[in-house]
């Protein structure tokens, strides 16, 4: 079971908007992808009673779970996985650039041109 205590997965504010627009409409909660994945994982591991308790504790609806599962299945929540990318330049390229600069500086010194 995942402990979500202290997790800032959503803004936890369901009240009137403080924007001063005067509409008096409640502000929708927003949930981070990390939060959604953690809830889905905990929900999938829980039995029926624990699932209900989880939904009540987090003030969620089963429709949230259904939508988040569809998003996860469709790959929408895949963006959370750590991305591995190669460095912008390899060590050899960095070393080559350094040597080129040194070579240019040496040639300028030999020619009598000081930068």
């Amino acid at each position: 079971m995942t402990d979500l205590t202290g997790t800032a997965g959503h803004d936890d504010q369901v009240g009137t908007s403080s924007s001063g627009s005067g509409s008096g409409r409640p502000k929708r909660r927003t949930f981070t992808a990390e939060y959604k994945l953690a809830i889905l994982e905990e929900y999938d591991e829980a039995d029926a009673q624990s699932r209900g308790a989880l939904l009540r504790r987090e003030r969620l609806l089963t429709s949230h779970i259904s939508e988040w599962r569809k998003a996860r299945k469709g790959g929408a929540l895949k963006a959370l996985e750590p991305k591995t990318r190669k460095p912008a330049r390899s060590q050899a390229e960095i070393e080559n650039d350094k040597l080129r600069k040194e070579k240019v500086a040496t040639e300028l010194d030999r020619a009598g041109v000081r930068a």
Side-chain angles (χ1 to χ4, degrees), residues 40-41 43-44 48 52 74 83 90 99 112:
L40 284 175
E41 181 181 312
Y43 188 85
D44 290 339
K83 297 177 183 173
S90 69
L99 292 173

Side-chain angles (χ1 to χ4, degrees), residues 54-105:
L54 170 68
L55 293 175
R56 285 188 299 276
R57 182 185 79 218
E58 298 294 328
R59 297 182 330 209
L60 298 172
L61 303 172
T62 55
S63 62
H64 287 114
I65 301 298
S66 300
E67 290 175 21
W68 296 349
R69 279 183 175 157
K70 287 178 189 175
R72 180 178 62 185
K73 186 177 181 182
L77 301 180
K78 272 281 201 218
L80 285 179
E81 294 179 0
K83 297 177 183 173
T84 57
R85 59 181 182 171
K86 71 176 203 173
R89 297 180 351 174
S90 69
Q91 284 299 100
E93 290 171 325
I94 293 170
E95 184 66 24
N96 284 342
D97 286 344
K98 179 181 172 185
L99 292 173
R100 282 187 194 109
K101 288 177 185 176
E102 288 177 4
K103 180 182 176 187
V104 169

Side-chain angles (χ1 to χ4, degrees), residues 3-51:
D3 181 22
L4 297 174
T5 321
T7 302
H10 54 83
D11 61 10
D12 201 29
Q13 296 188 9
V14 180
T16 56
S17 171
S18 62
S19 63
S21 63
S23 67
R25 294 187 55 167
K27 181 181 175 189
R28 286 185 180 216
R29 293 186 295 168
T30 55
F31 303 98
T32 63
E34 291 96 351
Y35 176 79
K36 292 176 184 180
L37 287 175
I39 291 295
L40 284 175
E41 181 181 312
E42 185 173 348
Y43 188 85
D44 290 339
E45 292 174 358
D47 62 353
Q49 287 181 337
S50 299
R51 286 179 177 181

Side-chain angles (χ1 to χ4, degrees), residues 104-115:
V104 169
T106 304
E107 289 173 356
L108 289 175
D109 283 346
R110 285 186 184 165
V113 179
R114 298 274 176 184

